[in-house]
Amino acid sequence: MPPRLRKVALTIHIIVSVGWIGAVAAYLVLDVTVSASEDVQTLRAAYLAMDLVTQWSILPLAYATLVTSLIVSLGTKWGLFRHYWVIISLVLTVFALVILVSEARTISSLAEAAADPATPDERLRSLPGTLLHSVGGTVVLLVVLVLNVYKPRGMTAYGWRKQQEQRTQSPP
Amino acid sequence: MAVDVQVARPKMPLWVKVFIGIGIAFGLLLIGVLLFGGAEHGPGRHLGGQGDSSSSGADTPPTEHSGTHAPAPNGQANDARPGIPTA
């Protein structure tokens, strides 16, 4: 990938991936609110906001992060399977995305119940949050962030083979 | 003068082994929860009849995570919620 295009791809990747973490932080505030609040108006508003943040911010940013991470890794010297930190980051990102897609359905159902004026107040108060998943998701995203910043040493067998091939092919 | 250096294949770093260990432990924990936790883990656990709001099941409140929420203001336990259809 040409250097200029690589920089553009990396910039977009940083924007969407950090944006994903920021959107999850906003979601966490709402999730804590529905877990702690007893006020019906607050609960209704929070469940609806959780759904909106998930559908229009977290999910698109998560998909964009996965796509841009593939572009950046395949378009640079790091590759996709050459370094352990890249593979682990990819696995964790895919795992987080799968759980997120699954949770998004739950969140939509909760928002539907909250939006329904016929939902009794007591039932609204007994609706669950998704705190375990959102805290777990945040931890996973922060681990990926740390891996991407520190890029710990460790080359895979495939990466080592490729490196040897390049060394033998390159002129002395 | 050309020097032919044989580079040994690198071993898997310790931090990767730690990550793999944590991953395996987490996977086993998840399997344990799925097998022995009543198989209620998943999106459907929050709302019965999800996706079909016309069904009576859609009004079934969640049965899990209740412990993480404050009790009802009138002092009732969360399991004794109004509106729960009892058989």
Side-chain angles (χ1 to χ4, degrees):
Chain A
M1 195 187 286
R4 191 174 285 182
L5 189 60
R6 196 171 59 214
K7 211 142 217 181
V8 170
L10 181 63
T11 304
I12 294 170
H13 177 62
I14 292 171
I15 289 170
V16 294
S17 55
V18 173
W20 185 5
I21 296 173
V24 169
Y27 179 89
L28 262 175
V29 174
L30 298 166
D31 214 352
V32 170
T33 301
V34 300
S35 296
S37 179
E38 287 290 323
D39 182 61
V40 174
Q41 300 271 13
T42 305
L43 289 172
R44 283 192 199 278
Y47 278 117
L48 292 175
M50 280 164 69
D51 189 39
L52 288 171
V53 169
T54 304
Q55 302 297 335
W56 296 100
S57 184
I58 297 178
L59 270 174
L61 287 168
Y63 282 118
T65 297
L66 182 63
V67 171
T68 55
S69 68
L70 292 173
I71 293 170
V72 168
S73 57
L74 290 171
T76 63
K77 64 173 177 137
W78 294 107
L80 199 53
F81 302 109
R82 294 183 183 197
H83 297 268
Y84 285 111
W85 72 266
V86 179
I87 296 176
I88 293 176
S89 295
L90 179 68
V91 168
L92 289 176
T93 304
V94 171
F95 176 71
L97 187 57
V98 169
I99 300 295
L100 172 63
V101 169
S102 156
E103 275 300 290
R105 287 168 47 215
T106 302
I107 296 159
S108 290
S109 302
L110 293 170
E112 263 177 45
D116 188 355
T119 304
D121 291 354
E122 290 308 313
R123 180 168 177 249
L124 201 64
R125 290 192 183 100
S126 68
L127 287 176
T130 56
L131 210 50
L132 185 67
H133 289 95
S134 51
V135 170
T138 307
V139 171
V140 169
L141 293 182
L142 291 178
V143 168
V144 174
L145 176 75
V146 170
L147 282 176
N148 278 259
V149 170
Y150 283 89
K151 298 179 175 54
R153 282 170 184 267
M155 195 174 268
T156 62
Y158 170 77
W160 179 79
R161 263 201 320 275
K162 284 282 173 193
Q163 192 185 54
Q164 296 304 307
E165 283 172 19
Q166 283 169 357
R167 277 184 184 168
T168 52
Q169 284 168 6
S170 60
Chain B
M1 186 171 71
V3 180
D4 187 21
V5 181
Q6 277 291 85
V7 183
R9 202 178 112 179
K11 289 180 179 172
M12 185 183 283
L14 180 64
W15 71 268
V16 178
K17 291 175 185 170
V18 170
F19 262 80
I20 292 172
I22 293 171
I24 291 170
F26 184 77
L28 290 174
L29 183 72
L30 197 65
I31 291 169
V33 169
L34 288 171
L35 287 178
F36 304 109
E40 287 181 354
H41 192 265
R45 75 197 180 283
H46 292 299
L47 292 170
Q50 183 181 319
D52 180 12
S53 57
S54 62
S55 72
S56 60
D59 293 325
T60 309
T63 55
E64 205 186 17
H65 297 308
S66 303
T68 60
H69 297 279
N74 58 4
Q76 285 178 309
N78 276 341
D79 289 332
R81 297 175 204 117
I84 298 178
T86 49

